Amino acid sequence: MEQLSNSLARTPLNSVVVKRRSKTKSFRQSYRSCLGLTPALTARRLSKSRKAPKSHYITEKVNPEHLALLLKSEWKLSYVTPLYQFRHTQLKSYSRQLSAFIAAEKQQGFAVEVDGSQSNFRVSFSVVQGMTETEDDAETVLIQIHSKPLFAKQSEAQRSVWSGWLTCVNGNSDYLCSLPKDFICLPLFGSSGSEVLTTLVQSWFQKMFDCCFGPLEMNNTCLQWLAALWTNCHPESSIQHLKMIWTLPVVPPLQITYTVNPKDAWKLWSSVRKDPCEENKEEEGVSIDIEDVMRFMQGLKSHFYRHFRLDLSAGCLKQVSTALGSATFSGRVKISNSQYILSTLTLLTECALFKMPV
C-alpha cells in the first residue's frame, strides 16, 4: 500500500523542494511571513453562500478500504496550519520516522500503552486518492498506527489502535495559491483512538513540519449549515431523521433533544428555499444562502415554541445528526454516507481555514 501511495501521490503544483531552513526559525515567524503575503485573508469569514450538495459516486475513485475506515469511525477534529516541506512522495520515510519517534517517547517513559501493555508500534502513511475537488487541493493523507498486546501470540496479527487523516477539499483557492511554494495546506485533521497517541502524532508533525494544531469546535453557524445541507439531500438519500440537541442557559442547564420527521424537515426546507432561475440552475448549479439556513432554523424553532413554549433561540445548538452523519459542538464528526462525504468535508475544510490563527 505504501509503495502505491508513494508513486502516485500528488502534491499541488505550487510546491517545490527547497533547502530545509534552520530549526531556530520558529513556526510563528514562518507562518506570519506567509500570511504577510495575503493581508486580505486576515478578514476571513465563513461563506454566506455555497453550492447545494451533489451526490458523488466516490467509490469509483477512492480505495474501498480507505473509504470504509473514513465512514466507520467518529473523528475528533482539529485545524492544522500549513506544513513546511511536507512531501507526498516521502510517506514511506515518514512512516519510519514516526514509528521511531513513538518508540523513543515510550523508552523515555511516555505512557503510550493502549488498552494494556503494547509491543512495538508500526506506523503507515498512505494517500487517499480521489478526495480532492480542485487542482489546488493536496491529496488526503491517512495515518494508521498498528500494535498488539505485549504478551500476544507470535502468530497474532497487529491491529489498528489509532487512525488519523489530513485533508483539504475545495479549499479557498486564493489562500492556497498565495502560500509560499514550500508550504502544503492540509488544514483539516481527524483522529480516532487514544488521546495519548493523538498528542504524540501532533507533536511529531509540529517538530517535522513547523506547523501547529488547534481544536476545531463547531459553532452554531457550522452546525446549522450541516443541518440544512444534509436535509437538502433527503430526496436522493433519506436522512431518516433530523435530530438536534440544544442547551438552554438555565439553572440547572436544560438539554433538549429535538427530533424532526424527515418529510416534515424536507417540507419546511422546500418552503423556505429561494427559487433559483432556471438559467442559474443550468449555468452555475443550485446554491444555498445563509438566509435559507436561517429561515429553516427559525421555522424549526417556531414550531418547537408553538408546542412547548420554549424559545430555542435563547440556547445553543450542540449537536446535529441525520442518517448522513453527525456533528457536535466539541468537534466530533461521523460521516455515514459516502455520496456526500466531499460536500461535508468542503464545509469542514472551510471551518478549519477559518479557525486557523492569523
Side-chain angles (χ1 to χ4, degrees):
M1 183 182 296
E2 290 175 353
Q3 183 177 359
L4 176 64
S5 301
N6 291 338
S7 61
L8 297 180
R10 178 171 66 82
T11 299
L13 296 178
N14 68 339
S15 297
V16 295
V17 177
V18 298
K19 183 178 179 181
R20 176 72 179 179
R21 58 182 167 73
S22 170
K23 280 288 187 179
T24 59
K25 186 174 183 181
S26 68
F27 158 78
R28 191 174 298 275
Q29 289 176 309
S30 62
Y31 192 56
R32 278 180 176 172
S33 65
C34 156
L35 289 177
L37 300 176
T38 56
L41 293 174
T42 59
R44 293 165 298 164
R45 288 178 173 82
L46 289 178
S47 298
K48 293 186 176 181
S49 179
R50 62 186 75 249
K51 291 182 180 179
K54 289 184 178 181
S55 177
H56 293 83
Y57 293 99
I58 199 170
T59 52
E60 300 174 359
K61 302 189 298 180
V62 179
N63 183 314
E65 292 182 7
H66 291 166
L67 190 58
L69 176 62
L70 292 173
L71 295 178
K72 80 174 184 179
S73 303
E74 181 184 65
W75 303 97
K76 174 66 176 176
L77 299 182
S78 303
Y79 68 78
V80 192
T81 55
L83 309 175
Y84 180 76
Q85 286 197 339
F86 179 89
R87 297 289 174 262
H88 284 76
T89 54
Q90 299 297 315
L91 299 187
K92 192 171 182 178
S93 174
Y94 299 157
S95 299
R96 292 194 300 267
Q97 292 178 57
L98 180 53
S99 296
F101 178 79
I102 295 175
E105 292 296 310
K106 183 177 180 180
Q107 190 173 12
Q108 293 176 17
F110 200 91
V112 297
E113 286 78 12
V114 182
D115 296 331
S117 297
Q118 303 287 312
S119 58
N120 291 337
F121 291 87
R122 178 176 61 84
V123 179
S124 64
F125 280 70
S126 51
V127 173
V128 183
Q129 301 217 347
M131 294 282 286
T132 58
E133 285 281 85
T134 71
E135 285 296 319
D136 297 320
D137 294 337
E139 294 278 10
T140 297
V141 174
L142 175 67
I143 310 161
Q144 291 180 279
I145 300 178
H146 297 80
S147 186
K148 63 181 178 181
L150 187 60
F151 300 105
K153 295 179 181 179
Q154 189 172 2
S155 59
E156 184 176 334
Q158 288 187 320
R159 61 184 179 87
S160 176
V161 295
W162 186 92
S163 300
W165 44 263
L166 299 104
T167 195
C168 180
V169 179
N170 263 327
N172 182 292
S173 58
D174 291 336
Y175 175 75
L176 297 179
C177 292
S178 70
L179 291 173
K181 293 181 179 180
D182 46 357
F183 282 90
I184 298 298
C185 191
L186 288 164
L188 183 62
F189 174 74
S191 62
S192 176
S194 164
E195 287 292 331
V196 172
L197 288 177
T198 298
T199 300
L200 283 176
V201 171
Q202 291 180 348
S203 177
W204 179 82
F205 266 92
Q206 288 171 172
K207 292 176 183 294
M208 281 292 296
F209 306 111
D210 211 11
C211 60
C212 79
F213 291 75
L216 183 56
E217 296 178 344
M218 306 194 67
N219 60 24
N220 264 334
T221 302
C222 293
L223 292 176
Q224 289 172 2
W225 265 111
L226 281 173
L229 293 175
W230 284 336
T231 300
N232 191 80
C233 301
H234 179 67
E236 295 182 1
S237 297
S238 174
I239 63 171
Q240 297 182 18
H241 63 269
L242 172 59
K243 180 180 177 181
M244 297 167 288
I245 295 179
W246 297 75
T247 58
L248 295 181
V250 295
V251 180
L254 179 62
Q255 179 172 292
I256 296 173
T257 300
Y258 184 7
T259 303
V260 184
N261 180 283
K263 293 182 180 179
D264 295 336
W266 171 248
K267 184 176 180 181
L268 173 61
W269 175 245
S270 300
S271 69
V272 302
R273 289 277 287 115
K274 293 178 181 178
D275 186 18
C277 299
E278 291 300 321
E279 309 90 70
N280 291 337
K281 284 185 180 181
E282 294 177 3
E283 294 177 9
E284 302 176 3
V286 179
S287 64
I288 296 174
D289 297 330
I290 186 63
E291 290 80 9
D292 300 328
V293 177
M294 293 298 103
R295 284 193 295 269
F296 178 56
M297 298 306 297
Q298 187 56 49
L300 293 170
K301 294 174 187 177
S302 298
H303 177 79
F304 192 86
Y305 182 80
R306 284 196 299 271
H307 285 273
F308 302 103
R309 289 296 185 266
L310 285 173
D311 186 4
L312 296 178
S313 298
C316 181
L317 182 58
K318 293 292 186 178
Q319 181 173 331
V320 171
S321 65
T322 71
L324 305 186
S326 64
T328 68
F329 183 86
S330 62
R332 293 191 175 275
V333 169
K334 183 173 182 8
I335 303 174
S336 307
N337 186 300
S338 63
Q339 290 179 257
Y340 298 100
I341 188 172
L342 293 182
S343 297
T344 301
L345 289 177
T346 293
L347 175 61
L348 297 178
T349 295
E350 185 179 343
C351 291
L353 289 170
F354 173 73
K355 285 283 288 184
M356 287 195 313
V358 176

